[in-house]
Every structure is written in C-alpha cells, then in structure tokens.
Amino acid sequence: MADIHFGTDGWRAIIGEEFTDDNLVRVIDASARVFKEDAVAAGRPLDNPGTLIIGHDCRQDAHAYAQLAAEVAATHGFDVKLSEDYCPTPTLCWSVSKDPEAVGGIMLTSSHNPAEYLGVKLRLADGGAAGKDLTDRVEAVLAETPQPTDARGVYTEVDLMTPYLDALKARVDAKAIAEANLRVVVDPLYGAGRGYLAGLLRDLG
C-alpha cells in the first residue's frame, strides 16, 4: 500500500496511480476515526458522533469517489451528508460551519493541481482547514491500518449549492447590481464554479 502523507492543506495524487479506491478508503477511514475520537472527547455519543459533510469538485470520477468516501465515513456512526453535485471548496466549508451537528467536512479536490490529480482536504467544525496536528494523527492511523476496510455504510445526498448561493446573494446589494446594467464575461476554467457563478450573476440582473 502507498505511504500516504498530507501536504499543504490535503493529500493529493494522480487519479488511477496513487489516487485509487483502496487508498481513498484508507484515507477516509483514518480521517473518520480521528474525527470520531475528537467528537466523543467533546461529549458526543459513541454511536452518534455527529454529522460529516462531504463535497467534491468536477474532476474525473469525483462524484463516484465521493460516494465511496461517504460510504466509508458512515461506518463510524456519523450522519454523512454528500453533496449531490460538484461544489467549490468554500461551499463545503460554509455548509459545515452552518450545520450545528457537523463535526467536520471532507472535500475531494486537488485545488490548483493539474486535471489528472484528485485529493482530500479535511475541514473542522468551523469550516476551517485542519491543522498539522490533526493530519499527523490521520497519518498515524494510516500507518497502523495498511489494508483498506471492506465496511460500508449509508449516507444522504443533499443540495449544498442552493443555500450557499442564496446566502451569497443576500450579502450584496442586488438592486444596485441590477441597476448597474453590467455585462460580464465568465471563464470558470473548468473549475467547480462552472455554471454556478454565471447563474448567480444572471439572478442578480
């Protein structure tokens, strides 16, 4: 099995090489164990440690990988909510921070890396990035569990984008934007904002 390490804000690897089903299962299983340990330490029940929210970008097979991640995380007793479609990382972060039952989030993305990469970012209950202390603990669990688990659980797919976009629209002066009669060109560069930003701007007139 691959020797997996987290770098700056996540683990990243080439799809089909080191980013495989087995390696993803190991990373999610280890991450869920650490999230659960902290949730229980904070007073949550062992059999109901809270909610984990999982999102993904629009890279190759990202939704299928995210479904696998959700199944693995759910085996640890979490109420797992999976984004029904691709979403930007800030959407996942905001969704976690707004859910009082959420103890963390998992985002499948490799950020600025080339298209052939995918990765895993971990988010804390406030939506912020997991620090090195937490990812070091995940790596320690990975070292102790070199084989992927076969356990799979049940998750729920949810719409993360609609409430996020509604919140964005509520933060700006929609009337002023509409009256400005702006013409805007959007190039999302194949990123996870594709479709969403153009639609948001149209909604704002």
Side-chain angles (χ1 to χ4, degrees), residues 4 6 11 22-32 72 106 120 122 138 142:
I4 295 171
F6 282 72
W11 164 65
D22 282 353
N23 284 338
L24 176 63
V25 167
R26 292 177 61 220
V27 169
I28 300 303
D29 183 48
S31 300
V72 174
I106 299 172
V120 173
L122 304 179
V138 172
L142 279 165

Side-chain angles (χ1 to χ4, degrees), residues 4 59 93 95 110 116 161 198:
I4 295 171
R59 293 168 190 260
C93 299
S95 301
S110 57
E116 62 268 25
M161 288 306 305

Side-chain angles (χ1 to χ4, degrees), residues 97-176:
S97 71
K98 294 300 180 180
D99 188 331
E101 293 301 311
V103 298
I106 299 172
M107 182 70 190
L108 271 66
T109 181
S110 57
S111 303
H112 59 279
N113 286 65
E116 62 268 25
Y117 282 78
L118 194 53
V120 173
K121 294 178 182 237
L122 304 179
R123 290 294 180 260
L124 304 178
D126 64 358
K132 190 174 183 300
D133 54 339
L134 189 140
T135 57
D136 281 351
R137 290 166 59 203
V138 172
E139 288 184 14
V141 176
L142 279 165
E144 297 167 0
T145 53
Q147 297 302 317
T149 177
D150 293 327
R152 301 290 184 268
V154 178
Y155 61 89
T156 304
E157 289 202 7
V158 296
D159 174 12
L160 298 184
M161 288 306 305
T162 298
Y164 177 70
L165 293 174
D166 287 346
L168 284 180
K169 283 185 280 190
R171 287 178 170 270
V172 299
D173 189 335
K175 184 173 183 291

Side-chain angles (χ1 to χ4, degrees), residues 184-198:
V184 181
V185 175
V186 176
D187 184 353
L189 296 171
Y190 303 101
R194 68 183 188 188
Y196 298 132
L197 178 56

